[in-house]
Amino acid sequence: ETKFTPVSSVASVGYFVGFTDVLATTTLEEPVTLSGTTFTSNATDCVGFVFDTAATTDVWYAIGVKNDVDTAATALTAPVADTAVLLRIELSTAGTATFYMDGVLVATIANAVTTTVALTPVVEVMTRTTAVKSVDVDYVFVQQDR
């Protein structure tokens, strides 16, 4: 769960908030991008909220990638500059992802990720121009049952 606020304009930007197997140790890449209506997954396994102004429709999407196969994405609402949103993803032991925005259930994706792959939480902002884009991440909360 994270409280996420796009501080600057939400124009010419891409966001990914979720979990990924892509670790930015030598190369920075978004786990999932969107151009037009086509999602491109760089991660082999990931699950998250995606927003990309290169998309035909500028809204958040809920998506998963399991063993290099993208799930069907669910279109949600658009982010608003200077307006906080609480984004939460719950992953079951079966790999089902449940997505919440501001405490409201907005999507459920079965078989969203491979359950045996280690995933890292990530909040990522990519500018699509040379203009600086900023967000305020109030907090990131990650918990695992044992």
Side-chain angles (χ1 to χ4, degrees), residues 21-68:
D21 65 351
V22 174
L23 299 178
T25 54
T26 57
T27 303
L28 182 61
E29 61 184 15
E30 289 181 273
V32 177
T33 60
L34 178 57
S35 180
T37 58
T38 303
F39 288 89
T40 300
S41 54
N42 297 304
T44 302
D45 277 274
C46 72
V47 61
F49 291 93
V50 175
F51 173 78
D52 201 322
T53 55
T56 302
T57 305
D58 293 341
V59 297
W60 284 107
Y61 291 87
I63 192 167
V65 179
K66 180 178 181 178
N67 197 24
D68 256 345

